[in-house]
PDB file of all heavy atoms in Angstrom:
ATOM      1  N   ASN A   1     -11.955  -0.105 -16.072  1.00 98.00           N
ATOM      2  CA  ASN A   1     -11.464  -1.457 -16.305  1.00 98.00           C
ATOM      3  C   ASN A   1     -10.298  -1.772 -15.364  1.00 98.00           C
ATOM      4  O   ASN A   1      -9.757  -0.889 -14.701  1.00 98.00           O
ATOM      5  CB  ASN A   1     -11.076  -1.598 -17.774  1.00 98.00           C
ATOM      6  CG  ASN A   1     -12.252  -1.240 -18.670  1.00 98.00           C
ATOM      7  OD1 ASN A   1     -13.320  -1.813 -18.569  1.00 98.00           O
ATOM      8  ND2 ASN A   1     -12.063  -0.246 -19.532  1.00 98.00           N
ATOM      9  N   LYS A   2      -9.935  -3.050 -15.328  1.00 98.00           N
ATOM     10  CA  LYS A   2      -8.909  -3.512 -14.382  1.00 98.00           C
ATOM     11  C   LYS A   2      -7.900  -4.370 -15.153  1.00 98.00           C
ATOM     12  O   LYS A   2      -8.285  -5.365 -15.764  1.00 98.00           O
ATOM     13  CB  LYS A   2      -9.562  -4.314 -13.240  1.00 98.00           C
ATOM     14  CG  LYS A   2     -10.609  -3.511 -12.465  1.00 98.00           C
ATOM     15  CD  LYS A   2     -11.207  -4.258 -11.280  1.00 98.00           C
ATOM     16  CE  LYS A   2     -12.092  -5.417 -11.645  1.00 98.00           C
ATOM     17  NZ  LYS A   2     -12.869  -5.927 -10.475  1.00 98.00           N
ATOM     18  N   TYR A   3      -6.644  -3.971 -15.107  1.00 98.00           N
ATOM     19  CA  TYR A   3      -5.610  -4.562 -15.950  1.00 98.00           C
ATOM     20  C   TYR A   3      -4.510  -5.168 -15.071  1.00 98.00           C
ATOM     21  O   TYR A   3      -3.903  -4.462 -14.268  1.00 98.00           O
ATOM     22  CB  TYR A   3      -4.997  -3.496 -16.852  1.00 98.00           C
ATOM     23  CG  TYR A   3      -5.985  -2.682 -17.670  1.00 98.00           C
ATOM     24  CD1 TYR A   3      -6.703  -1.624 -17.100  1.00 98.00           C
ATOM     25  CD2 TYR A   3      -6.185  -2.944 -19.024  1.00 98.00           C
ATOM     26  CE1 TYR A   3      -7.588  -0.863 -17.846  1.00 98.00           C
ATOM     27  CE2 TYR A   3      -7.073  -2.189 -19.789  1.00 98.00           C
ATOM     28  CZ  TYR A   3      -7.770  -1.140 -19.191  1.00 98.00           C
ATOM     29  OH  TYR A   3      -8.644  -0.390 -19.926  1.00 98.00           O
ATOM     30  N   VAL A   4      -4.213  -6.439 -15.255  1.00 98.00           N
ATOM     31  CA  VAL A   4      -3.223  -7.103 -14.406  1.00 98.00           C
ATOM     32  C   VAL A   4      -1.834  -6.495 -14.578  1.00 98.00           C
ATOM     33  O   VAL A   4      -1.109  -6.281 -13.601  1.00 98.00           O
ATOM     34  CB  VAL A   4      -3.200  -8.619 -14.686  1.00 98.00           C
ATOM     35  CG1 VAL A   4      -1.960  -9.264 -14.058  1.00 98.00           C
ATOM     36  CG2 VAL A   4      -4.459  -9.279 -14.139  1.00 98.00           C
ATOM     37  N   VAL A   5      -1.455  -6.211 -15.823  1.00 98.00           N
ATOM     38  CA  VAL A   5      -0.112  -5.688 -16.065  1.00 98.00           C
ATOM     39  C   VAL A   5       0.102  -4.371 -15.318  1.00 98.00           C
ATOM     40  O   VAL A   5       1.132  -4.171 -14.663  1.00 98.00           O
ATOM     41  CB  VAL A   5       0.120  -5.514 -17.581  1.00 98.00           C
ATOM     42  CG1 VAL A   5       1.353  -4.669 -17.848  1.00 98.00           C
ATOM     43  CG2 VAL A   5       0.263  -6.877 -18.256  1.00 98.00           C
ATOM     44  N   ASN A   6      -0.863  -3.469 -15.408  1.00 97.00           N
ATOM     45  CA  ASN A   6      -0.695  -2.186 -14.728  1.00 97.00           C
ATOM     46  C   ASN A   6      -0.887  -2.314 -13.223  1.00 97.00           C
ATOM     47  O   ASN A   6      -0.263  -1.598 -12.443  1.00 97.00           O
ATOM     48  CB  ASN A   6      -1.662  -1.154 -15.311  1.00 97.00           C
ATOM     49  CG  ASN A   6      -1.066   0.225 -15.303  1.00 97.00           C
ATOM     50  OD1 ASN A   6       0.128   0.391 -15.511  1.00 97.00           O
ATOM     51  ND2 ASN A   6      -1.878   1.224 -15.065  1.00 97.00           N
ATOM     52  N   SER A   7      -1.761  -3.229 -12.805  1.00 98.00           N
ATOM     53  CA  SER A   7      -1.887  -3.498 -11.372  1.00 98.00           C
ATOM     54  C   SER A   7      -0.588  -4.040 -10.799  1.00 98.00           C
ATOM     55  O   SER A   7      -0.274  -3.813  -9.634  1.00 98.00           O
ATOM     56  CB  SER A   7      -3.011  -4.504 -11.122  1.00 98.00           C
ATOM     57  OG  SER A   7      -4.241  -3.866 -10.950  1.00 98.00           O
ATOM     58  N   GLY A   8       0.158  -4.755 -11.631  1.00 98.00           N
ATOM     59  CA  GLY A   8       1.392  -5.369 -11.151  1.00 98.00           C
ATOM     60  C   GLY A   8       2.376  -4.357 -10.614  1.00 98.00           C
ATOM     61  O   GLY A   8       2.768  -4.394  -9.441  1.00 98.00           O
ATOM     62  N   ILE A   9       2.783  -3.408 -11.446  1.00 98.00           N
ATOM     63  CA  ILE A   9       3.768  -2.419 -11.012  1.00 98.00           C
ATOM     64  C   ILE A   9       3.198  -1.532  -9.915  1.00 98.00           C
ATOM     65  O   ILE A   9       3.905  -1.135  -8.983  1.00 98.00           O
ATOM     66  CB  ILE A   9       4.278  -1.579 -12.206  1.00 98.00           C
ATOM     67  CG1 ILE A   9       5.426  -0.666 -11.760  1.00 98.00           C
ATOM     68  CG2 ILE A   9       3.160  -0.801 -12.883  1.00 98.00           C
ATOM     69  CD1 ILE A   9       6.130   0.037 -12.903  1.00 98.00           C
ATOM     70  N   SER A  10       1.879  -1.235  -9.981  1.00 98.00           N
ATOM     71  CA  SER A  10       1.267  -0.362  -8.975  1.00 98.00           C
ATOM     72  C   SER A  10       1.278  -1.021  -7.601  1.00 98.00           C
ATOM     73  O   SER A  10       1.694  -0.423  -6.603  1.00 98.00           O
ATOM     74  CB  SER A  10      -0.178  -0.033  -9.376  1.00 98.00           C
ATOM     75  OG  SER A  10      -0.243   0.464 -10.692  1.00 98.00           O
ATOM     76  N   THR A  11       0.807  -2.256  -7.550  1.00 98.00           N
ATOM     77  CA  THR A  11       0.725  -2.976  -6.281  1.00 98.00           C
ATOM     78  C   THR A  11       2.112  -3.212  -5.701  1.00 98.00           C
ATOM     79  O   THR A  11       2.339  -3.046  -4.498  1.00 98.00           O
ATOM     80  CB  THR A  11      -0.020  -4.305  -6.473  1.00 98.00           C
ATOM     81  OG1 THR A  11      -1.267  -4.052  -7.113  1.00 98.00           O
ATOM     82  CG2 THR A  11      -0.265  -4.999  -5.146  1.00 98.00           C
ATOM     83  N   SER A  12       3.043  -3.586  -6.557  1.00 98.00           N
ATOM     84  CA  SER A  12       4.402  -3.845  -6.086  1.00 98.00           C
ATOM     85  C   SER A  12       5.060  -2.594  -5.524  1.00 98.00           C
ATOM     86  O   SER A  12       5.748  -2.649  -4.497  1.00 98.00           O
ATOM     87  CB  SER A  12       5.253  -4.399  -7.222  1.00 98.00           C
ATOM     88  OG  SER A  12       6.588  -4.556  -6.805  1.00 98.00           O
ATOM     89  N   THR A  13       4.858  -1.450  -6.188  1.00 98.00           N
ATOM     90  CA  THR A  13       5.469  -0.213  -5.697  1.00 98.00           C
ATOM     91  C   THR A  13       4.942   0.138  -4.314  1.00 98.00           C
ATOM     92  O   THR A  13       5.696   0.582  -3.441  1.00 98.00           O
ATOM     93  CB  THR A  13       5.209   0.934  -6.693  1.00 98.00           C
ATOM     94  OG1 THR A  13       5.764   0.579  -7.972  1.00 98.00           O
ATOM     95  CG2 THR A  13       5.842   2.226  -6.215  1.00 98.00           C
ATOM     96  N   LEU A  14       3.653  -0.076  -4.086  1.00 98.00           N
ATOM     97  CA  LEU A  14       3.079   0.188  -2.761  1.00 98.00           C
ATOM     98  C   LEU A  14       3.567  -0.832  -1.737  1.00 98.00           C
ATOM     99  O   LEU A  14       3.848  -0.483  -0.578  1.00 98.00           O
ATOM    100  CB  LEU A  14       1.561   0.182  -2.839  1.00 98.00           C
ATOM    101  CG  LEU A  14       0.942   1.309  -3.687  1.00 98.00           C
ATOM    102  CD1 LEU A  14      -0.566   1.164  -3.747  1.00 98.00           C
ATOM    103  CD2 LEU A  14       1.327   2.684  -3.158  1.00 98.00           C
ATOM    104  N   LEU A  15       3.675  -2.091  -2.138  1.00 98.00           N
ATOM    105  CA  LEU A  15       4.235  -3.096  -1.231  1.00 98.00           C
ATOM    106  C   LEU A  15       5.678  -2.749  -0.873  1.00 98.00           C
ATOM    107  O   LEU A  15       6.111  -2.903   0.276  1.00 98.00           O
ATOM    108  CB  LEU A  15       4.165  -4.478  -1.867  1.00 98.00           C
ATOM    109  CG  LEU A  15       2.787  -5.137  -1.949  1.00 98.00           C
ATOM    110  CD1 LEU A  15       2.838  -6.391  -2.815  1.00 98.00           C
ATOM    111  CD2 LEU A  15       2.252  -5.483  -0.552  1.00 98.00           C
ATOM    112  N   SER A  16       6.438  -2.256  -1.841  1.00 98.00           N
ATOM    113  CA  SER A  16       7.823  -1.865  -1.581  1.00 98.00           C
ATOM    114  C   SER A  16       7.903  -0.677  -0.635  1.00 98.00           C
ATOM    115  O   SER A  16       8.836  -0.588   0.169  1.00 98.00           O
ATOM    116  CB  SER A  16       8.535  -1.534  -2.898  1.00 98.00           C
ATOM    117  OG  SER A  16       8.683  -2.696  -3.688  1.00 98.00           O
ATOM    118  N   LEU A  17       6.939   0.224  -0.747  1.00 98.00           N
ATOM    119  CA  LEU A  17       6.909   1.345   0.191  1.00 98.00           C
ATOM    120  C   LEU A  17       6.804   0.832   1.617  1.00 98.00           C
ATOM    121  O   LEU A  17       7.515   1.320   2.517  1.00 98.00           O
ATOM    122  CB  LEU A  17       5.733   2.262  -0.143  1.00 98.00           C
ATOM    123  CG  LEU A  17       5.433   3.399   0.832  1.00 98.00           C
ATOM    124  CD1 LEU A  17       6.633   4.319   1.011  1.00 98.00           C
ATOM    125  CD2 LEU A  17       4.213   4.191   0.370  1.00 98.00           C
ATOM    126  N   TYR A  18       5.956  -0.154   1.844  1.00 98.00           N
ATOM    127  CA  TYR A  18       5.867  -0.730   3.189  1.00 98.00           C
ATOM    128  C   TYR A  18       7.139  -1.494   3.538  1.00 98.00           C
ATOM    129  O   TYR A  18       7.671  -1.365   4.647  1.00 98.00           O
ATOM    130  CB  TYR A  18       4.662  -1.669   3.315  1.00 98.00           C
ATOM    131  CG  TYR A  18       4.601  -2.282   4.687  1.00 98.00           C
ATOM    132  CD1 TYR A  18       4.092  -1.557   5.769  1.00 98.00           C
ATOM    133  CD2 TYR A  18       5.125  -3.547   4.945  1.00 98.00           C
ATOM    134  CE1 TYR A  18       4.097  -2.085   7.046  1.00 98.00           C
ATOM    135  CE2 TYR A  18       5.124  -4.086   6.213  1.00 98.00           C
ATOM    136  CZ  TYR A  18       4.612  -3.351   7.259  1.00 98.00           C
ATOM    137  OH  TYR A  18       4.624  -3.870   8.535  1.00 98.00           O
ATOM    138  N   GLU A  19       7.627  -2.269   2.591  1.00 98.00           N
ATOM    139  CA  GLU A  19       8.798  -3.110   2.845  1.00 98.00           C
ATOM    140  C   GLU A  19      10.035  -2.269   3.174  1.00 98.00           C
ATOM    141  O   GLU A  19      10.850  -2.643   4.013  1.00 98.00           O
ATOM    142  CB  GLU A  19       9.066  -3.977   1.607  1.00 98.00           C
ATOM    143  CG  GLU A  19       9.901  -5.205   1.866  1.00 98.00           C
ATOM    144  CD  GLU A  19       9.869  -6.182   0.701  1.00 98.00           C
ATOM    145  OE1 GLU A  19       9.484  -5.793  -0.414  1.00 98.00           O
ATOM    146  OE2 GLU A  19      10.244  -7.350   0.910  1.00 98.00           O
ATOM    147  N   ASP A  20      10.152  -1.107   2.541  1.00 98.00           N
ATOM    148  CA  ASP A  20      11.332  -0.264   2.730  1.00 98.00           C
ATOM    149  C   ASP A  20      11.230   0.658   3.943  1.00 98.00           C
ATOM    150  O   ASP A  20      12.247   1.024   4.528  1.00 98.00           O
ATOM    151  CB  ASP A  20      11.570   0.578   1.477  1.00 98.00           C
ATOM    152  CG  ASP A  20      11.921  -0.261   0.261  1.00 98.00           C
ATOM    153  OD1 ASP A  20      12.162  -1.472   0.420  1.00 98.00           O
ATOM    154  OD2 ASP A  20      11.929   0.291  -0.854  1.00 98.00           O
ATOM    155  N   TYR A  21       9.992   1.039   4.312  1.00 98.00           N
ATOM    156  CA  TYR A  21       9.802   1.975   5.424  1.00 98.00           C
ATOM    157  C   TYR A  21       8.677   1.485   6.345  1.00 98.00           C
ATOM    158  O   TYR A  21       7.691   2.195   6.563  1.00 98.00           O
ATOM    159  CB  TYR A  21       9.472   3.380   4.876  1.00 98.00           C
ATOM    160  CG  TYR A  21      10.533   3.902   3.944  1.00 98.00           C
ATOM    161  CD1 TYR A  21      10.392   3.779   2.560  1.00 98.00           C
ATOM    162  CD2 TYR A  21      11.693   4.486   4.436  1.00 98.00           C
ATOM    163  CE1 TYR A  21      11.380   4.235   1.697  1.00 98.00           C
ATOM    164  CE2 TYR A  21      12.689   4.939   3.587  1.00 98.00           C
ATOM    165  CZ  TYR A  21      12.529   4.806   2.215  1.00 98.00           C
ATOM    166  OH  TYR A  21      13.515   5.250   1.366  1.00 98.00           O
ATOM    167  N   PRO A  22       8.824   0.292   6.903  1.00 98.00           N
ATOM    168  CA  PRO A  22       7.714  -0.294   7.678  1.00 98.00           C
ATOM    169  C   PRO A  22       7.357   0.509   8.927  1.00 98.00           C
ATOM    170  O   PRO A  22       6.172   0.653   9.239  1.00 98.00           O
ATOM    171  CB  PRO A  22       8.217  -1.694   8.022  1.00 98.00           C
ATOM    172  CG  PRO A  22       9.711  -1.608   7.922  1.00 98.00           C
ATOM    173  CD  PRO A  22       9.976  -0.625   6.839  1.00 98.00           C
ATOM    174  N   ALA A  23       8.355   0.996   9.639  1.00 98.00           N
ATOM    175  CA  ALA A  23       8.057   1.717  10.880  1.00 98.00           C
ATOM    176  C   ALA A  23       7.213   2.949  10.592  1.00 98.00           C
ATOM    177  O   ALA A  23       6.222   3.222  11.291  1.00 98.00           O
ATOM    178  CB  ALA A  23       9.351   2.100  11.597  1.00 98.00           C
ATOM    179  N   TYR A  24       7.596   3.703   9.561  1.00 98.00           N
ATOM    180  CA  TYR A  24       6.824   4.902   9.245  1.00 98.00           C
ATOM    181  C   TYR A  24       5.442   4.534   8.715  1.00 98.00           C
ATOM    182  O   TYR A  24       4.432   5.140   9.118  1.00 98.00           O
ATOM    183  CB  TYR A  24       7.553   5.771   8.216  1.00 98.00           C
ATOM    184  CG  TYR A  24       6.713   6.962   7.808  1.00 98.00           C
ATOM    185  CD1 TYR A  24       6.577   8.056   8.653  1.00 98.00           C
ATOM    186  CD2 TYR A  24       6.019   6.971   6.599  1.00 98.00           C
ATOM    187  CE1 TYR A  24       5.774   9.131   8.308  1.00 98.00           C
ATOM    188  CE2 TYR A  24       5.216   8.047   6.244  1.00 98.00           C
ATOM    189  CZ  TYR A  24       5.092   9.120   7.099  1.00 98.00           C
ATOM    190  OH  TYR A  24       4.289  10.176   6.758  1.00 98.00           O
ATOM    191  N   MET A  25       5.363   3.560   7.835  1.00 98.00           N
ATOM    192  CA  MET A  25       4.069   3.252   7.210  1.00 98.00           C
ATOM    193  C   MET A  25       3.067   2.689   8.216  1.00 98.00           C
ATOM    194  O   MET A  25       1.849   2.801   7.997  1.00 98.00           O
ATOM    195  CB  MET A  25       4.259   2.292   6.035  1.00 98.00           C
ATOM    196  CG  MET A  25       5.037   2.880   4.860  1.00 98.00           C
ATOM    197  SD  MET A  25       4.546   4.579   4.388  1.00 98.00           S
ATOM    198  CE  MET A  25       2.797   4.363   4.038  1.00 98.00           C
ATOM    199  N   LYS A  26       3.544   2.132   9.308  1.00 98.00           N
ATOM    200  CA  LYS A  26       2.618   1.674  10.352  1.00 98.00           C
ATOM    201  C   LYS A  26       1.916   2.847  11.034  1.00 98.00           C
ATOM    202  O   LYS A  26       0.876   2.659  11.665  1.00 98.00           O
ATOM    203  CB  LYS A  26       3.372   0.839  11.391  1.00 98.00           C
ATOM    204  CG  LYS A  26       3.759  -0.546  10.892  1.00 98.00           C
ATOM    205  CD  LYS A  26       4.614  -1.292  11.900  1.00 98.00           C
ATOM    206  CE  LYS A  26       5.037  -2.655  11.354  1.00 98.00           C
ATOM    207  NZ  LYS A  26       5.965  -3.363  12.272  1.00 98.00           N
ATOM    208  N   THR A  27       2.474   4.045  10.913  1.00 98.00           N
ATOM    209  CA  THR A  27       1.866   5.216  11.563  1.00 98.00           C
ATOM    210  C   THR A  27       0.866   5.934  10.661  1.00 98.00           C
ATOM    211  O   THR A  27       0.170   6.843  11.112  1.00 98.00           O
ATOM    212  CB  THR A  27       2.948   6.237  11.975  1.00 98.00           C
ATOM    213  OG1 THR A  27       3.487   6.880  10.798  1.00 98.00           O
ATOM    214  CG2 THR A  27       4.074   5.569  12.742  1.00 98.00           C
ATOM    215  N   VAL A  28       0.796   5.560   9.390  1.00 98.00           N
ATOM    216  CA  VAL A  28      -0.032   6.287   8.423  1.00 98.00           C
ATOM    217  C   VAL A  28      -1.473   5.780   8.499  1.00 98.00           C
ATOM    218  O   VAL A  28      -1.757   4.624   8.181  1.00 98.00           O
ATOM    219  CB  VAL A  28       0.526   6.130   6.996  1.00 98.00           C
ATOM    220  CG1 VAL A  28      -0.419   6.756   5.972  1.00 98.00           C
ATOM    221  CG2 VAL A  28       1.921   6.765   6.909  1.00 98.00           C
ATOM    222  N   LYS A  29      -2.371   6.651   8.934  1.00 98.00           N
ATOM    223  CA  LYS A  29      -3.790   6.311   9.085  1.00 98.00           C
ATOM    224  C   LYS A  29      -4.577   6.976   7.960  1.00 98.00           C
ATOM    225  O   LYS A  29      -4.484   8.186   7.758  1.00 98.00           O
ATOM    226  CB  LYS A  29      -4.333   6.780  10.436  1.00 98.00           C
ATOM    227  CG  LYS A  29      -3.462   6.389  11.635  1.00 98.00           C
ATOM    228  CD  LYS A  29      -3.332   4.888  11.799  1.00 98.00           C
ATOM    229  CE  LYS A  29      -2.509   4.540  13.032  1.00 98.00           C
ATOM    230  NZ  LYS A  29      -2.231   3.091  13.140  1.00 98.00           N
ATOM    231  N   LEU A  30      -5.397   6.190   7.256  1.00 98.00           N
ATOM    232  CA  LEU A  30      -6.052   6.681   6.050  1.00 98.00           C
ATOM    233  C   LEU A  30      -7.556   6.857   6.168  1.00 98.00           C
ATOM    234  O   LEU A  30      -8.190   7.340   5.228  1.00 98.00           O
ATOM    235  CB  LEU A  30      -5.758   5.713   4.885  1.00 98.00           C
ATOM    236  CG  LEU A  30      -4.289   5.526   4.508  1.00 98.00           C
ATOM    237  CD1 LEU A  30      -4.168   4.478   3.413  1.00 98.00           C
ATOM    238  CD2 LEU A  30      -3.666   6.841   4.068  1.00 98.00           C
ATOM    239  N   ASN A  31      -8.155   6.457   7.288  1.00 98.00           N
ATOM    240  CA  ASN A  31      -9.612   6.513   7.417  1.00 98.00           C
ATOM    241  C   ASN A  31     -10.295   5.766   6.272  1.00 98.00           C
ATOM    242  O   ASN A  31     -10.997   6.335   5.443  1.00 98.00           O
ATOM    243  CB  ASN A  31     -10.117   7.960   7.479  1.00 98.00           C
ATOM    244  CG  ASN A  31     -11.625   8.031   7.709  1.00 98.00           C
ATOM    245  OD1 ASN A  31     -12.193   7.223   8.423  1.00 98.00           O
ATOM    246  ND2 ASN A  31     -12.292   8.993   7.071  1.00 98.00           N
ATOM    247  N   ILE A  32     -10.042   4.477   6.222  1.00 98.00           N
ATOM    248  CA  ILE A  32     -10.717   3.584   5.285  1.00 98.00           C
ATOM    249  C   ILE A  32     -11.456   2.531   6.105  1.00 98.00           C
ATOM    250  O   ILE A  32     -11.217   2.407   7.320  1.00 98.00           O
ATOM    251  CB  ILE A  32      -9.713   2.932   4.303  1.00 98.00           C
ATOM    252  CG1 ILE A  32      -8.597   2.182   5.046  1.00 98.00           C
ATOM    253  CG2 ILE A  32      -9.115   3.987   3.374  1.00 98.00           C
ATOM    254  CD1 ILE A  32      -7.597   1.488   4.132  1.00 98.00           C
ATOM    255  N   PRO A  33     -12.391   1.793   5.513  1.00 98.00           N
ATOM    256  CA  PRO A  33     -13.223   0.878   6.311  1.00 98.00           C
ATOM    257  C   PRO A  33     -12.437  -0.127   7.143  1.00 98.00           C
ATOM    258  O   PRO A  33     -12.891  -0.537   8.215  1.00 98.00           O
ATOM    259  CB  PRO A  33     -14.074   0.182   5.244  1.00 98.00           C
ATOM    260  CG  PRO A  33     -14.192   1.182   4.151  1.00 98.00           C
ATOM    261  CD  PRO A  33     -12.863   1.887   4.116  1.00 98.00           C
ATOM    262  N   GLU A  34     -11.256  -0.521   6.694  1.00 98.00           N
ATOM    263  CA  GLU A  34     -10.477  -1.534   7.398  1.00 98.00           C
ATOM    264  C   GLU A  34      -9.583  -0.954   8.498  1.00 98.00           C
ATOM    265  O   GLU A  34      -8.925  -1.716   9.226  1.00 98.00           O
ATOM    266  CB  GLU A  34      -9.596  -2.298   6.401  1.00 98.00           C
ATOM    267  CG  GLU A  34     -10.369  -3.029   5.318  1.00 98.00           C
ATOM    268  CD  GLU A  34     -10.791  -2.141   4.153  1.00 98.00           C
ATOM    269  OE1 GLU A  34     -10.414  -0.929   4.151  1.00 98.00           O
ATOM    270  OE2 GLU A  34     -11.489  -2.622   3.255  1.00 98.00           O
ATOM    271  N   SER A  35      -9.523   0.352   8.614  1.00 98.00           N
ATOM    272  CA  SER A  35      -8.626   0.984   9.600  1.00 98.00           C
ATOM    273  C   SER A  35      -8.872   0.420  10.994  1.00 98.00           C
ATOM    274  O   SER A  35     -10.010   0.233  11.415  1.00 98.00           O
ATOM    275  CB  SER A  35      -8.851   2.497   9.617  1.00 98.00           C
ATOM    276  OG  SER A  35      -8.477   3.087   8.404  1.00 98.00           O
ATOM    277  N   GLY A  36      -7.774   0.155  11.709  1.00 97.00           N
ATOM    278  CA  GLY A  36      -7.874  -0.335  13.077  1.00 97.00           C
ATOM    279  C   GLY A  36      -7.954  -1.841  13.202  1.00 97.00           C
ATOM    280  O   GLY A  36      -8.145  -2.358  14.313  1.00 97.00           O
ATOM    281  N   ASN A  37      -7.758  -2.565  12.094  1.00 98.00           N
ATOM    282  CA  ASN A  37      -7.883  -4.029  12.152  1.00 98.00           C
ATOM    283  C   ASN A  37      -6.574  -4.740  12.465  1.00 98.00           C
ATOM    284  O   ASN A  37      -6.495  -5.968  12.405  1.00 98.00           O
ATOM    285  CB  ASN A  37      -8.474  -4.570  10.848  1.00 98.00           C
ATOM    286  CG  ASN A  37      -7.544  -4.379   9.647  1.00 98.00           C
ATOM    287  OD1 ASN A  37      -6.471  -3.767   9.766  1.00 98.00           O
ATOM    288  ND2 ASN A  37      -7.961  -4.876   8.485  1.00 98.00           N
ATOM    289  N   GLY A  38      -5.534  -3.979  12.801  1.00 98.00           N
ATOM    290  CA  GLY A  38      -4.245  -4.591  13.119  1.00 98.00           C
ATOM    291  C   GLY A  38      -3.297  -4.704  11.937  1.00 98.00           C
ATOM    292  O   GLY A  38      -2.149  -5.117  12.101  1.00 98.00           O
TER     293      GLY A  38
END
């Protein structure tokens, strides 16, 4: 199932990871279908 309340804190924490450490997170490659799209 998919829950907005729990998605909220999860999504925000990941967004904050990028917001707080953008230079490093730009180097992290995950091999997912969207990889390499800019």
Side-chain angles (χ1 to χ4, degrees):
N1 304 303
K2 302 183 291 192
Y3 307 79
V4 167
V5 166
N6 214 36
S7 271
I9 187 171
S10 308
T11 308
S12 176
T13 301
L14 295 177
L15 287 170
S16 293
L17 173 58
Y18 179 79
E19 200 167 17
D20 295 350
Y21 303 97
Y24 176 76
M25 294 316 302
K26 287 175 182 175
T27 72
V28 174
K29 311 298 182 187
L30 299 176
N31 184 36
I32 56 179
E34 299 82 4
S35 294
N37 67 356

